[in-house]
Amino acid sequence: MIPTAVVVGLFGLVAGSFLNVVIHRLPRGESVAFPGSHCPACGAPIRPYDNVPVLSWLFLRGRCRVCRAPISVRYPVVELTNAVLWVAVFLRAPGWADFASGAFLCSACLALLAIDAEFRILPDRITLTGIVVGLALSFFSRVRSPVSSFAGAAIGAGGLWLVAFLYEKWKKVEGMGLGDVKMLGMIGALLGASGVIIAVLLASVSGSLVGLALVLARRGSLQTALPFGVFLALGAVAAFFWAPLLIELYRGGFR
Ligand SMILES: [Zn+2]
């Protein structure tokens, strides 16, 4: 168990390194496959020995070897976070399909969180891929049925689309983008029906609290649009790990 967890963690670091490429290139409309990694400042290709997750960043003290331009601390943070999440998923997933679902959910949410925070977009390449992956893996899952997965995608995407539609009719402004709708479809396909509902609740509560805190700190108004995808990403990962516990607490509270 422990040696396997270490291997999973190493693969998590490598996948995190790829996520950094996705986070940087997808919103800029660049290919994630070609060309190979290069410094965003000077364009120098990054050598394999300078591309080791976390360690290279530490060794080069967060700077490009060629031009010394600073390299964002986001790179090692994304790599480490992804590795920790993959190990945590591995330790709780009952089978390969549930590990794959959980690992995909965590990595996709990590990338979507970083992209939404900076660019306020949620790329289809991630969300629509996630819907397909979630539905396909549900046939091999030990924790969610294909019915729950299809219902989750429908509830997630359909429910949020309805809320966004009504909100627009009521306020005459666009509150949520279609990106959020597709992201919720992805979360529903990967978590199932009950999971996506919990993810939305957690995202709404945390988003409202942060919004309220900003208003109280006079850093924003009630109209300040927060990137909802950031909160959805956090809510979905929290729901993956703690949905059973939250359902238990909810039942206990109403006994
Ligand atoms: Zn450089």
Side-chain angles (χ1 to χ4, degrees), residues 4-5 7-9 11-12 82-107 133 137 140-144 190 240:
T4 320
V7 173
V8 168
F11 274 102
N82 193 63
V84 168
L85 288 169
W86 275 31
V87 171
V89 170
F90 171 74
L91 293 177
R92 93 176 353 238
W96 70 268
D98 295 304
F99 169 73
S101 296
F104 188 95
L105 180 83
C106 289
S107 296
V133 168
L137 288 173
F140 308 95
S141 169
R142 294 189 193 168
V143 293
R144 72 181 192 288
L190 286 159
F240 174 82

PDB file of all heavy atoms in Angstrom, residues 4-5 7-9 11-12 82-107 133 137 140-144 190 240:
ATOM      1  N   THR A   4       3.050   1.737  -3.169  1.00  0.00           N
ATOM      2  CA  THR A   4       2.184   2.135  -4.284  1.00  0.00           C
ATOM      3  C   THR A   4       1.783   3.596  -4.144  1.00  0.00           C
ATOM      4  O   THR A   4       1.733   4.334  -5.128  1.00  0.00           O
ATOM      5  CB  THR A   4       0.916   1.253  -4.328  1.00  0.00           C
ATOM      6  OG1 THR A   4       1.290  -0.078  -4.024  1.00  0.00           O
ATOM      7  CG2 THR A   4       0.260   1.308  -5.679  1.00  0.00           C
ATOM      8  N   ALA A   5       1.494   4.024  -2.897  1.00  0.00           N
ATOM      9  CA  ALA A   5       1.096   5.418  -2.678  1.00  0.00           C
ATOM     10  C   ALA A   5       2.225   6.364  -3.092  1.00  0.00           C
ATOM     11  O   ALA A   5       1.968   7.433  -3.656  1.00  0.00           O
ATOM     12  CB  ALA A   5       0.718   5.642  -1.216  1.00  0.00           C
ATOM     13  N   VAL A   7       4.468   5.769  -5.446  1.00  0.00           N
ATOM     14  CA  VAL A   7       4.471   5.786  -6.912  1.00  0.00           C
ATOM     15  C   VAL A   7       3.351   6.687  -7.428  1.00  0.00           C
ATOM     16  O   VAL A   7       3.543   7.490  -8.350  1.00  0.00           O
ATOM     17  CB  VAL A   7       4.321   4.347  -7.469  1.00  0.00           C
ATOM     18  CG1 VAL A   7       4.146   4.370  -8.983  1.00  0.00           C
ATOM     19  CG2 VAL A   7       5.540   3.513  -7.088  1.00  0.00           C
ATOM     20  N   VAL A   8       2.164   6.573  -6.806  1.00  0.00           N
ATOM     21  CA  VAL A   8       1.032   7.424  -7.199  1.00  0.00           C
ATOM     22  C   VAL A   8       1.395   8.898  -7.016  1.00  0.00           C
ATOM     23  O   VAL A   8       1.112   9.740  -7.864  1.00  0.00           O
ATOM     24  CB  VAL A   8      -0.233   7.069  -6.378  1.00  0.00           C
ATOM     25  CG1 VAL A   8      -1.311   8.122  -6.572  1.00  0.00           C
ATOM     26  CG2 VAL A   8      -0.752   5.699  -6.776  1.00  0.00           C
ATOM     27  N   GLY A   9       2.077   9.199  -5.899  1.00  0.00           N
ATOM     28  CA  GLY A   9       2.499  10.577  -5.642  1.00  0.00           C
ATOM     29  C   GLY A   9       3.462  11.087  -6.708  1.00  0.00           C
ATOM     30  O   GLY A   9       3.356  12.230  -7.155  1.00  0.00           O
ATOM     31  N   PHE A  11       3.696  10.004  -9.848  1.00  0.00           N
ATOM     32  CA  PHE A  11       2.902  10.241 -11.057  1.00  0.00           C
ATOM     33  C   PHE A  11       2.075  11.530 -10.909  1.00  0.00           C
ATOM     34  O   PHE A  11       1.873  12.266 -11.867  1.00  0.00           O
ATOM     35  CB  PHE A  11       1.983   9.052 -11.359  1.00  0.00           C
ATOM     36  CG  PHE A  11       2.658   7.976 -12.155  1.00  0.00           C
ATOM     37  CD1 PHE A  11       3.112   6.819 -11.545  1.00  0.00           C
ATOM     38  CD2 PHE A  11       2.854   8.133 -13.521  1.00  0.00           C
ATOM     39  CE1 PHE A  11       3.756   5.829 -12.282  1.00  0.00           C
ATOM     40  CE2 PHE A  11       3.498   7.153 -14.269  1.00  0.00           C
ATOM     41  CZ  PHE A  11       3.949   5.989 -13.644  1.00  0.00           C
ATOM     42  N   GLY A  12       1.618  11.789  -9.676  1.00  0.00           N
ATOM     43  CA  GLY A  12       0.862  13.018  -9.405  1.00  0.00           C
ATOM     44  C   GLY A  12       1.699  14.260  -9.653  1.00  0.00           C
ATOM     45  O   GLY A  12       1.206  15.261 -10.167  1.00  0.00           O
ATOM     46  N   ASN A  82      -1.279  18.686  -6.655  1.00  0.00           N
ATOM     47  CA  ASN A  82      -1.813  17.581  -7.449  1.00  0.00           C
ATOM     48  C   ASN A  82      -1.335  16.227  -6.901  1.00  0.00           C
ATOM     49  O   ASN A  82      -2.117  15.275  -6.806  1.00  0.00           O
ATOM     50  CB  ASN A  82      -1.409  17.735  -8.918  1.00  0.00           C
ATOM     51  CG  ASN A  82      -2.187  16.811  -9.819  1.00  0.00           C
ATOM     52  OD1 ASN A  82      -3.408  16.915  -9.920  1.00  0.00           O
ATOM     53  ND2 ASN A  82      -1.506  15.866 -10.432  1.00  0.00           N
ATOM     54  N   ALA A  83      -0.050  16.161  -6.506  1.00  0.00           N
ATOM     55  CA  ALA A  83       0.494  14.910  -5.971  1.00  0.00           C
ATOM     56  C   ALA A  83      -0.214  14.530  -4.664  1.00  0.00           C
ATOM     57  O   ALA A  83      -0.601  13.369  -4.465  1.00  0.00           O
ATOM     58  CB  ALA A  83       1.999  15.049  -5.742  1.00  0.00           C
ATOM     59  N   VAL A  84      -0.403  15.498  -3.774  1.00  0.00           N
ATOM     60  CA  VAL A  84      -1.064  15.236  -2.488  1.00  0.00           C
ATOM     61  C   VAL A  84      -2.500  14.762  -2.721  1.00  0.00           C
ATOM     62  O   VAL A  84      -2.964  13.783  -2.106  1.00  0.00           O
ATOM     63  CB  VAL A  84      -1.051  16.503  -1.601  1.00  0.00           C
ATOM     64  CG1 VAL A  84      -1.963  16.342  -0.401  1.00  0.00           C
ATOM     65  CG2 VAL A  84       0.378  16.813  -1.154  1.00  0.00           C
ATOM     66  N   LEU A  85      -3.212  15.417  -3.657  1.00  0.00           N
ATOM     67  CA  LEU A  85      -4.601  15.035  -3.940  1.00  0.00           C
ATOM     68  C   LEU A  85      -4.675  13.623  -4.514  1.00  0.00           C
ATOM     69  O   LEU A  85      -5.531  12.830  -4.124  1.00  0.00           O
ATOM     70  CB  LEU A  85      -5.249  16.043  -4.897  1.00  0.00           C
ATOM     71  CG  LEU A  85      -5.580  17.414  -4.289  1.00  0.00           C
ATOM     72  CD1 LEU A  85      -5.965  18.410  -5.382  1.00  0.00           C
ATOM     73  CD2 LEU A  85      -6.715  17.288  -3.282  1.00  0.00           C
ATOM     74  N   TRP A  86      -3.750  13.293  -5.420  1.00  0.00           N
ATOM     75  CA  TRP A  86      -3.765  11.948  -6.024  1.00  0.00           C
ATOM     76  C   TRP A  86      -3.531  10.876  -4.970  1.00  0.00           C
ATOM     77  O   TRP A  86      -4.187   9.834  -4.987  1.00  0.00           O
ATOM     78  CB  TRP A  86      -2.706  11.852  -7.137  1.00  0.00           C
ATOM     79  CG  TRP A  86      -3.201  12.359  -8.463  1.00  0.00           C
ATOM     80  CD1 TRP A  86      -4.124  13.355  -8.673  1.00  0.00           C
ATOM     81  CD2 TRP A  86      -2.802  11.901  -9.758  1.00  0.00           C
ATOM     82  NE1 TRP A  86      -4.312  13.549 -10.020  1.00  0.00           N
ATOM     83  CE2 TRP A  86      -3.521  12.674 -10.702  1.00  0.00           C
ATOM     84  CE3 TRP A  86      -1.900  10.939 -10.211  1.00  0.00           C
ATOM     85  CZ2 TRP A  86      -3.367  12.485 -12.074  1.00  0.00           C
ATOM     86  CZ3 TRP A  86      -1.748  10.753 -11.578  1.00  0.00           C
ATOM     87  CH2 TRP A  86      -2.482  11.521 -12.504  1.00  0.00           C
ATOM     88  N   VAL A  87      -2.598  11.131  -4.043  1.00  0.00           N
ATOM     89  CA  VAL A  87      -2.341  10.148  -2.981  1.00  0.00           C
ATOM     90  C   VAL A  87      -3.584  10.014  -2.100  1.00  0.00           C
ATOM     91  O   VAL A  87      -4.007   8.898  -1.753  1.00  0.00           O
ATOM     92  CB  VAL A  87      -1.103  10.552  -2.145  1.00  0.00           C
ATOM     93  CG1 VAL A  87      -0.973   9.655  -0.921  1.00  0.00           C
ATOM     94  CG2 VAL A  87       0.158  10.461  -3.000  1.00  0.00           C
ATOM     95  N   ALA A  88      -4.206  11.142  -1.752  1.00  0.00           N
ATOM     96  CA  ALA A  88      -5.412  11.109  -0.912  1.00  0.00           C
ATOM     97  C   ALA A  88      -6.538  10.347  -1.617  1.00  0.00           C
ATOM     98  O   ALA A  88      -7.247   9.549  -0.985  1.00  0.00           O
ATOM     99  CB  ALA A  88      -5.857  12.533  -0.580  1.00  0.00           C
ATOM    100  N   VAL A  89      -6.687  10.556  -2.931  1.00  0.00           N
ATOM    101  CA  VAL A  89      -7.708   9.830  -3.699  1.00  0.00           C
ATOM    102  C   VAL A  89      -7.388   8.342  -3.687  1.00  0.00           C
ATOM    103  O   VAL A  89      -8.265   7.495  -3.457  1.00  0.00           O
ATOM    104  CB  VAL A  89      -7.783  10.345  -5.162  1.00  0.00           C
ATOM    105  CG1 VAL A  89      -8.659   9.437  -6.007  1.00  0.00           C
ATOM    106  CG2 VAL A  89      -8.299  11.776  -5.195  1.00  0.00           C
ATOM    107  N   PHE A  90      -6.107   8.006  -3.914  1.00  0.00           N
ATOM    108  CA  PHE A  90      -5.673   6.603  -3.952  1.00  0.00           C
ATOM    109  C   PHE A  90      -6.000   5.894  -2.639  1.00  0.00           C
ATOM    110  O   PHE A  90      -6.452   4.748  -2.629  1.00  0.00           O
ATOM    111  CB  PHE A  90      -4.171   6.539  -4.234  1.00  0.00           C
ATOM    112  CG  PHE A  90      -3.591   5.161  -4.075  1.00  0.00           C
ATOM    113  CD1 PHE A  90      -3.835   4.171  -5.026  1.00  0.00           C
ATOM    114  CD2 PHE A  90      -2.819   4.847  -2.962  1.00  0.00           C
ATOM    115  CE1 PHE A  90      -3.315   2.907  -4.867  1.00  0.00           C
ATOM    116  CE2 PHE A  90      -2.297   3.577  -2.807  1.00  0.00           C
ATOM    117  CZ  PHE A  90      -2.546   2.602  -3.749  1.00  0.00           C
ATOM    118  N   LEU A  91      -5.788   6.584  -1.512  1.00  0.00           N
ATOM    119  CA  LEU A  91      -5.983   5.959  -0.206  1.00  0.00           C
ATOM    120  C   LEU A  91      -7.460   5.691   0.101  1.00  0.00           C
ATOM    121  O   LEU A  91      -7.778   4.908   0.985  1.00  0.00           O
ATOM    122  CB  LEU A  91      -5.372   6.830   0.902  1.00  0.00           C
ATOM    123  CG  LEU A  91      -3.844   6.942   0.860  1.00  0.00           C
ATOM    124  CD1 LEU A  91      -3.338   7.884   1.941  1.00  0.00           C
ATOM    125  CD2 LEU A  91      -3.193   5.565   0.986  1.00  0.00           C
ATOM    126  N   ARG A  92      -8.364   6.365  -0.648  1.00  0.00           N
ATOM    127  CA  ARG A  92      -9.779   6.139  -0.334  1.00  0.00           C
ATOM    128  C   ARG A  92     -10.570   5.463  -1.455  1.00  0.00           C
ATOM    129  O   ARG A  92     -11.639   4.919  -1.213  1.00  0.00           O
ATOM    130  CB  ARG A  92     -10.440   7.452   0.090  1.00  0.00           C
ATOM    131  CG  ARG A  92     -11.114   8.221  -1.016  1.00  0.00           C
ATOM    132  CD  ARG A  92     -11.824   9.449  -0.523  1.00  0.00           C
ATOM    133  NE  ARG A  92     -11.842   9.561   0.919  1.00  0.00           N
ATOM    134  CZ  ARG A  92     -12.954   9.641   1.652  1.00  0.00           C
ATOM    135  NH1 ARG A  92     -14.126   9.598   1.065  1.00  0.00           N
ATOM    136  NH2 ARG A  92     -12.899   9.801   2.940  1.00  0.00           N
ATOM    137  N   ALA A  93     -10.029   5.446  -2.677  1.00  0.00           N
ATOM    138  CA  ALA A  93     -10.789   4.882  -3.794  1.00  0.00           C
ATOM    139  C   ALA A  93     -10.842   3.359  -3.693  1.00  0.00           C
ATOM    140  O   ALA A  93      -9.822   2.718  -3.475  1.00  0.00           O
ATOM    141  CB  ALA A  93     -10.163   5.299  -5.117  1.00  0.00           C
ATOM    142  N   PRO A  94     -12.042   2.766  -3.851  1.00  0.00           N
ATOM    143  CA  PRO A  94     -12.170   1.312  -3.732  1.00  0.00           C
ATOM    144  C   PRO A  94     -11.753   0.536  -4.976  1.00  0.00           C
ATOM    145  O   PRO A  94     -11.660  -0.681  -4.931  1.00  0.00           O
ATOM    146  CB  PRO A  94     -13.659   1.115  -3.442  1.00  0.00           C
ATOM    147  CG  PRO A  94     -14.318   2.304  -4.042  1.00  0.00           C
ATOM    148  CD  PRO A  94     -13.336   3.438  -3.999  1.00  0.00           C
ATOM    149  N   GLY A  95     -11.508   1.188  -6.081  1.00  0.00           N
ATOM    150  CA  GLY A  95     -11.134   0.464  -7.295  1.00  0.00           C
ATOM    151  C   GLY A  95     -10.467   1.407  -8.284  1.00  0.00           C
ATOM    152  O   GLY A  95     -10.437   2.622  -8.069  1.00  0.00           O
ATOM    153  N   TRP A  96      -9.939   0.826  -9.380  1.00  0.00           N
ATOM    154  CA  TRP A  96      -9.183   1.649 -10.335  1.00  0.00           C
ATOM    155  C   TRP A  96     -10.047   2.742 -10.962  1.00  0.00           C
ATOM    156  O   TRP A  96      -9.594   3.857 -11.178  1.00  0.00           O
ATOM    157  CB  TRP A  96      -8.556   0.766 -11.420  1.00  0.00           C
ATOM    158  CG  TRP A  96      -9.564   0.168 -12.369  1.00  0.00           C
ATOM    159  CD1 TRP A  96     -10.181  -1.028 -12.249  1.00  0.00           C
ATOM    160  CD2 TRP A  96     -10.086   0.776 -13.558  1.00  0.00           C
ATOM    161  NE1 TRP A  96     -11.057  -1.226 -13.285  1.00  0.00           N
ATOM    162  CE2 TRP A  96     -11.013  -0.142 -14.109  1.00  0.00           C
ATOM    163  CE3 TRP A  96      -9.853   1.985 -14.218  1.00  0.00           C
ATOM    164  CZ2 TRP A  96     -11.724   0.134 -15.281  1.00  0.00           C
ATOM    165  CZ3 TRP A  96     -10.568   2.255 -15.385  1.00  0.00           C
ATOM    166  CH2 TRP A  96     -11.489   1.346 -15.912  1.00  0.00           C
ATOM    167  N   ALA A  97     -11.325   2.413 -11.248  1.00  0.00           N
ATOM    168  CA  ALA A  97     -12.176   3.395 -11.924  1.00  0.00           C
ATOM    169  C   ALA A  97     -12.481   4.574 -11.004  1.00  0.00           C
ATOM    170  O   ALA A  97     -12.596   5.713 -11.446  1.00  0.00           O
ATOM    171  CB  ALA A  97     -13.474   2.740 -12.392  1.00  0.00           C
ATOM    172  N   ASP A  98     -12.596   4.271  -9.697  1.00  0.00           N
ATOM    173  CA  ASP A  98     -12.876   5.358  -8.757  1.00  0.00           C
ATOM    174  C   ASP A  98     -11.626   6.182  -8.482  1.00  0.00           C
ATOM    175  O   ASP A  98     -11.713   7.384  -8.240  1.00  0.00           O
ATOM    176  CB  ASP A  98     -13.477   4.791  -7.474  1.00  0.00           C
ATOM    177  CG  ASP A  98     -14.828   4.167  -7.751  1.00  0.00           C
ATOM    178  OD1 ASP A  98     -15.693   4.885  -8.290  1.00  0.00           O
ATOM    179  OD2 ASP A  98     -14.998   2.966  -7.507  1.00  0.00           O
ATOM    180  N   PHE A  99     -10.452   5.530  -8.546  1.00  0.00           N
ATOM    181  CA  PHE A  99      -9.211   6.312  -8.461  1.00  0.00           C
ATOM    182  C   PHE A  99      -9.114   7.238  -9.671  1.00  0.00           C
ATOM    183  O   PHE A  99      -8.830   8.426  -9.532  1.00  0.00           O
ATOM    184  CB  PHE A  99      -7.975   5.414  -8.381  1.00  0.00           C
ATOM    185  CG  PHE A  99      -6.709   6.194  -8.567  1.00  0.00           C
ATOM    186  CD1 PHE A  99      -6.253   7.028  -7.555  1.00  0.00           C
ATOM    187  CD2 PHE A  99      -6.010   6.149  -9.767  1.00  0.00           C
ATOM    188  CE1 PHE A  99      -5.110   7.796  -7.729  1.00  0.00           C
ATOM    189  CE2 PHE A  99      -4.869   6.912  -9.950  1.00  0.00           C
ATOM    190  CZ  PHE A  99      -4.414   7.733  -8.930  1.00  0.00           C
ATOM    191  N   ALA A 100      -9.385   6.675 -10.863  1.00  0.00           N
ATOM    192  CA  ALA A 100      -9.276   7.484 -12.084  1.00  0.00           C
ATOM    193  C   ALA A 100     -10.262   8.652 -12.061  1.00  0.00           C
ATOM    194  O   ALA A 100      -9.908   9.779 -12.404  1.00  0.00           O
ATOM    195  CB  ALA A 100      -9.513   6.605 -13.320  1.00  0.00           C
ATOM    196  N   SER A 101     -11.506   8.391 -11.611  1.00  0.00           N
ATOM    197  CA  SER A 101     -12.511   9.468 -11.524  1.00  0.00           C
ATOM    198  C   SER A 101     -12.044  10.558 -10.568  1.00  0.00           C
ATOM    199  O   SER A 101     -12.099  11.746 -10.879  1.00  0.00           O
ATOM    200  CB  SER A 101     -13.850   8.934 -11.007  1.00  0.00           C
ATOM    201  OG  SER A 101     -14.391   8.006 -11.896  1.00  0.00           O
ATOM    202  N   GLY A 102     -11.584  10.140  -9.385  1.00  0.00           N
ATOM    203  CA  GLY A 102     -11.184  11.104  -8.354  1.00  0.00           C
ATOM    204  C   GLY A 102      -9.955  11.893  -8.773  1.00  0.00           C
ATOM    205  O   GLY A 102      -9.894  13.109  -8.588  1.00  0.00           O
ATOM    206  N   ALA A 103      -8.968  11.189  -9.360  1.00  0.00           N
ATOM    207  CA  ALA A 103      -7.746  11.874  -9.789  1.00  0.00           C
ATOM    208  C   ALA A 103      -8.063  12.869 -10.898  1.00  0.00           C
ATOM    209  O   ALA A 103      -7.575  13.998 -10.897  1.00  0.00           O
ATOM    210  CB  ALA A 103      -6.714  10.850 -10.267  1.00  0.00           C
ATOM    211  N   PHE A 104      -8.928  12.452 -11.851  1.00  0.00           N
ATOM    212  CA  PHE A 104      -9.300  13.365 -12.933  1.00  0.00           C
ATOM    213  C   PHE A 104     -10.030  14.577 -12.365  1.00  0.00           C
ATOM    214  O   PHE A 104      -9.754  15.717 -12.732  1.00  0.00           O
ATOM    215  CB  PHE A 104     -10.181  12.664 -13.976  1.00  0.00           C
ATOM    216  CG  PHE A 104     -10.421  13.516 -15.191  1.00  0.00           C
ATOM    217  CD1 PHE A 104      -9.622  13.375 -16.313  1.00  0.00           C
ATOM    218  CD2 PHE A 104     -11.410  14.498 -15.194  1.00  0.00           C
ATOM    219  CE1 PHE A 104      -9.803  14.194 -17.418  1.00  0.00           C
ATOM    220  CE2 PHE A 104     -11.596  15.316 -16.299  1.00  0.00           C
ATOM    221  CZ  PHE A 104     -10.795  15.159 -17.408  1.00  0.00           C
ATOM    222  N   LEU A 105     -10.977  14.326 -11.437  1.00  0.00           N
ATOM    223  CA  LEU A 105     -11.743  15.436 -10.843  1.00  0.00           C
ATOM    224  C   LEU A 105     -10.807  16.437 -10.173  1.00  0.00           C
ATOM    225  O   LEU A 105     -10.912  17.651 -10.397  1.00  0.00           O
ATOM    226  CB  LEU A 105     -12.746  14.895  -9.819  1.00  0.00           C
ATOM    227  CG  LEU A 105     -13.585  15.980  -9.142  1.00  0.00           C
ATOM    228  CD1 LEU A 105     -14.775  16.361 -10.006  1.00  0.00           C
ATOM    229  CD2 LEU A 105     -14.060  15.552  -7.768  1.00  0.00           C
ATOM    230  N   CYS A 106      -9.883  15.938  -9.341  1.00  0.00           N
ATOM    231  CA  CYS A 106      -8.980  16.828  -8.602  1.00  0.00           C
ATOM    232  C   CYS A 106      -8.093  17.633  -9.550  1.00  0.00           C
ATOM    233  O   CYS A 106      -7.952  18.844  -9.405  1.00  0.00           O
ATOM    234  CB  CYS A 106      -8.123  16.024  -7.629  1.00  0.00           C
ATOM    235  SG  CYS A 106      -9.076  15.377  -6.238  1.00  0.00           S
ATOM    236  N   SER A 107      -7.502  16.947 -10.550  1.00  0.00           N
ATOM    237  CA  SER A 107      -6.606  17.646 -11.478  1.00  0.00           C
ATOM    238  C   SER A 107      -7.374  18.660 -12.323  1.00  0.00           C
ATOM    239  O   SER A 107      -6.910  19.785 -12.522  1.00  0.00           O
ATOM    240  CB  SER A 107      -5.898  16.642 -12.394  1.00  0.00           C
ATOM    241  OG  SER A 107      -5.072  15.803 -11.623  1.00  0.00           O
ATOM    242  N   VAL A 133     -15.380  11.531 -19.593  1.00  0.00           N
ATOM    243  CA  VAL A 133     -14.606  10.650 -18.706  1.00  0.00           C
ATOM    244  C   VAL A 133     -15.474  10.155 -17.546  1.00  0.00           C
ATOM    245  O   VAL A 133     -15.488   8.963 -17.215  1.00  0.00           O
ATOM    246  CB  VAL A 133     -13.358  11.398 -18.164  1.00  0.00           C
ATOM    247  CG1 VAL A 133     -12.696  10.623 -17.028  1.00  0.00           C
ATOM    248  CG2 VAL A 133     -12.351  11.635 -19.280  1.00  0.00           C
ATOM    249  N   LEU A 137     -16.408   6.214 -16.981  1.00  0.00           N
ATOM    250  CA  LEU A 137     -15.886   5.495 -15.816  1.00  0.00           C
ATOM    251  C   LEU A 137     -16.992   5.011 -14.881  1.00  0.00           C
ATOM    252  O   LEU A 137     -16.780   4.079 -14.103  1.00  0.00           O
ATOM    253  CB  LEU A 137     -14.902   6.381 -15.039  1.00  0.00           C
ATOM    254  CG  LEU A 137     -13.545   6.614 -15.702  1.00  0.00           C
ATOM    255  CD1 LEU A 137     -12.726   7.643 -14.930  1.00  0.00           C
ATOM    256  CD2 LEU A 137     -12.759   5.308 -15.821  1.00  0.00           C
ATOM    257  N   PHE A 140     -17.688   1.360 -14.518  1.00  0.00           N
ATOM    258  CA  PHE A 140     -16.750   0.493 -13.807  1.00  0.00           C
ATOM    259  C   PHE A 140     -16.631   0.879 -12.332  1.00  0.00           C
ATOM    260  O   PHE A 140     -15.875   0.284 -11.585  1.00  0.00           O
ATOM    261  CB  PHE A 140     -15.367   0.571 -14.460  1.00  0.00           C
ATOM    262  CG  PHE A 140     -15.402   0.330 -15.940  1.00  0.00           C
ATOM    263  CD1 PHE A 140     -15.467   1.382 -16.840  1.00  0.00           C
ATOM    264  CD2 PHE A 140     -15.405  -0.971 -16.434  1.00  0.00           C
ATOM    265  CE1 PHE A 140     -15.525   1.158 -18.206  1.00  0.00           C
ATOM    266  CE2 PHE A 140     -15.455  -1.210 -17.792  1.00  0.00           C
ATOM    267  CZ  PHE A 140     -15.524  -0.142 -18.685  1.00  0.00           C
ATOM    268  N   SER A 141     -17.401   1.916 -11.905  1.00  0.00           N
ATOM    269  CA  SER A 141     -17.272   2.446 -10.545  1.00  0.00           C
ATOM    270  C   SER A 141     -17.926   1.533  -9.521  1.00  0.00           C
ATOM    271  O   SER A 141     -18.890   0.834  -9.820  1.00  0.00           O
ATOM    272  CB  SER A 141     -17.924   3.829 -10.478  1.00  0.00           C
ATOM    273  OG  SER A 141     -18.032   4.241  -9.136  1.00  0.00           O
ATOM    274  N   ARG A 142     -17.363   1.557  -8.306  1.00  0.00           N
ATOM    275  CA  ARG A 142     -17.988   0.813  -7.211  1.00  0.00           C
ATOM    276  C   ARG A 142     -18.774   1.726  -6.294  1.00  0.00           C
ATOM    277  O   ARG A 142     -19.362   1.267  -5.313  1.00  0.00           O
ATOM    278  CB  ARG A 142     -16.912   0.103  -6.394  1.00  0.00           C
ATOM    279  CG  ARG A 142     -16.206  -0.970  -7.197  1.00  0.00           C
ATOM    280  CD  ARG A 142     -15.307  -1.788  -6.310  1.00  0.00           C
ATOM    281  NE  ARG A 142     -14.414  -2.605  -7.118  1.00  0.00           N
ATOM    282  CZ  ARG A 142     -13.378  -3.252  -6.632  1.00  0.00           C
ATOM    283  NH1 ARG A 142     -13.103  -3.184  -5.345  1.00  0.00           N
ATOM    284  NH2 ARG A 142     -12.613  -3.967  -7.416  1.00  0.00           N
ATOM    285  N   VAL A 143     -18.726   3.041  -6.538  1.00  0.00           N
ATOM    286  CA  VAL A 143     -19.444   3.957  -5.649  1.00  0.00           C
ATOM    287  C   VAL A 143     -20.577   4.718  -6.341  1.00  0.00           C
ATOM    288  O   VAL A 143     -21.446   5.270  -5.679  1.00  0.00           O
ATOM    289  CB  VAL A 143     -18.495   4.978  -4.967  1.00  0.00           C
ATOM    290  CG1 VAL A 143     -17.568   4.276  -3.993  1.00  0.00           C
ATOM    291  CG2 VAL A 143     -17.701   5.756  -5.996  1.00  0.00           C
ATOM    292  N   ARG A 144     -20.565   4.796  -7.672  1.00  0.00           N
ATOM    293  CA  ARG A 144     -21.681   5.474  -8.332  1.00  0.00           C
ATOM    294  C   ARG A 144     -22.094   4.684  -9.570  1.00  0.00           C
ATOM    295  O   ARG A 144     -21.255   4.129 -10.276  1.00  0.00           O
ATOM    296  CB  ARG A 144     -21.335   6.919  -8.692  1.00  0.00           C
ATOM    297  CG  ARG A 144     -20.361   7.062  -9.822  1.00  0.00           C
ATOM    298  CD  ARG A 144     -20.038   8.527 -10.103  1.00  0.00           C
ATOM    299  NE  ARG A 144     -19.335   8.675 -11.362  1.00  0.00           N
ATOM    300  CZ  ARG A 144     -18.082   8.307 -11.574  1.00  0.00           C
ATOM    301  NH1 ARG A 144     -17.394   7.771 -10.616  1.00  0.00           N
ATOM    302  NH2 ARG A 144     -17.526   8.457 -12.754  1.00  0.00           N
ATOM    303  N   LEU A 190     -18.759  13.046 -12.705  1.00  0.00           N
ATOM    304  CA  LEU A 190     -17.668  12.419 -11.947  1.00  0.00           C
ATOM    305  C   LEU A 190     -18.050  12.080 -10.507  1.00  0.00           C
ATOM    306  O   LEU A 190     -17.465  11.191  -9.910  1.00  0.00           O
ATOM    307  CB  LEU A 190     -16.439  13.335 -11.949  1.00  0.00           C
ATOM    308  CG  LEU A 190     -15.661  13.396 -13.272  1.00  0.00           C
ATOM    309  CD1 LEU A 190     -14.820  14.644 -13.364  1.00  0.00           C
ATOM    310  CD2 LEU A 190     -14.787  12.161 -13.441  1.00  0.00           C
ATOM    311  N   PHE A 240     -15.991  15.383  -2.978  1.00  0.00           N
ATOM    312  CA  PHE A 240     -15.432  14.060  -3.260  1.00  0.00           C
ATOM    313  C   PHE A 240     -14.954  13.400  -1.971  1.00  0.00           C
ATOM    314  O   PHE A 240     -15.210  12.228  -1.714  1.00  0.00           O
ATOM    315  CB  PHE A 240     -14.276  14.151  -4.262  1.00  0.00           C
ATOM    316  CG  PHE A 240     -13.586  12.834  -4.481  1.00  0.00           C
ATOM    317  CD1 PHE A 240     -14.118  11.902  -5.365  1.00  0.00           C
ATOM    318  CD2 PHE A 240     -12.437  12.491  -3.776  1.00  0.00           C
ATOM    319  CE1 PHE A 240     -13.507  10.667  -5.546  1.00  0.00           C
ATOM    320  CE2 PHE A 240     -11.822  11.257  -3.951  1.00  0.00           C
ATOM    321  CZ  PHE A 240     -12.357  10.345  -4.840  1.00  0.00           C
TER     322      PHE A 240
END
